Amino acid sequence: MCTGKCSRCIGVTLYPLAVISILCNIILFFPGWETSYAKDGYITEEVKYMGGLVGGGLMVLVPALYIHVTGQQGCCANRCGMFLSIAFAAVGVAGALYSFIVAMLGLINGPYCRVLLLWMTPFKDREDSYLNNRNLWSLCTEPKNVVEFNIGLFAILLVTSSLQLVLCCTQMINGLFGCLCGTCTNKGVI
């Protein structure tokens, strides 16, 4: 496969992953599907870091656009363009790593919820993980099903950021080949 076609495939694949990251982060602002918690500031701390919106979203979407354009005709025959795609892919790697780390912290620390009369993060700094013990989930009384809500969305962010990381690293290698070895040129073929 030519490096231009590979760039196009990677760029097209990054688009839905970036959109999924953005949507997951936006949805995390509304635990229990209600706006009142966000308005009153009762949301998980890691949601405020906006790993999915900024990291896995914008920091991957911009490189995806450039990477896709780099391989638009399939064979770009442009060493400079492939070199720049390495830099853009590196930005994507940074964004995906940021999203991955924030999602991992969100899963480890657990949700911000009401426990009896206090709002807190009850699973933070515990020796045993709440992820392995569903009985602990009942500690959170409000928002309703916030533990499942956070686990589901942070897990999706973790998977999407992992895929983004692999794709952006692949584009860095692809861009290096395209820059050093030259991109494919179809002589006489349109």
Side-chain angles (χ1 to χ4, degrees):
M1 178 185 287
C2 111
T3 56
K5 285 182 183 176
C6 184
S7 293
R8 188 174 65 220
C9 290
I10 289 171
V12 168
T13 308
L14 286 172
Y15 292 141
L17 294 174
V19 171
I20 290 168
S21 292
I22 291 169
L23 289 175
C24 283
N25 202 144
I26 290 170
I27 292 170
L28 277 165
F29 274 100
F30 307 105
W33 302 102
E34 294 188 29
T35 59
S36 61
Y37 299 112
K39 185 178 76 174
D40 297 335
Y42 296 133
I43 56 174
T44 304
E45 190 67 30
E46 288 78 15
V47 175
K48 298 174 190 174
Y49 300 158
M50 293 194 279
L53 186 66
V54 176
L58 298 177
M59 286 182 72
V60 170
L61 191 58
V62 172
L65 289 168
Y66 183 81
I67 291 166
H68 182 220
V69 169
T70 298
Q72 192 60 36
Q73 283 97 27
C75 300
C76 61
N78 181 353
R79 289 178 187 234
C80 182
M82 291 305 279
F83 177 75
L84 286 175
S85 78
I86 297 170
F88 276 97
V91 171
V93 166
L97 273 174
Y98 178 68
S99 180
F100 183 87
I101 291 168
V102 170
M104 182 65 75
L105 286 173
L107 281 173
I108 291 170
N109 294 335
Y112 186 74
C113 61
R114 187 176 190 168
V115 179
L116 298 176
L117 299 174
L118 299 173
W119 285 89
M120 60 172 37
T121 309
F123 309 119
K124 190 174 185 178
D125 301 326
R126 287 183 70 103
E127 288 185 26
D128 56 331
S129 174
Y130 74 100
L131 296 169
N132 298 332
N133 188 354
R134 284 187 72 119
N135 296 329
L136 291 174
W137 296 6
S138 61
L139 287 173
C140 289
T141 57
E142 192 181 347
K144 187 178 180 189
N145 298 324
V146 70
V147 178
E148 294 92 335
F149 187 81
N150 273 26
I151 289 174
L153 291 169
F154 277 125
I156 291 170
L157 280 172
L158 200 64
V159 170
T160 56
S161 62
S162 298
L163 292 172
Q164 290 169 338
L165 188 62
V166 167
L167 289 168
C168 287
C169 286
T170 302
Q171 177 56 32
M172 290 177 75
I173 295 166
N174 180 52
L176 185 64
F177 278 120
C179 183
L180 296 177
C181 303
T183 55
C184 65
T185 53
N186 292 337
K187 297 177 181 171
V189 177
I190 297 176

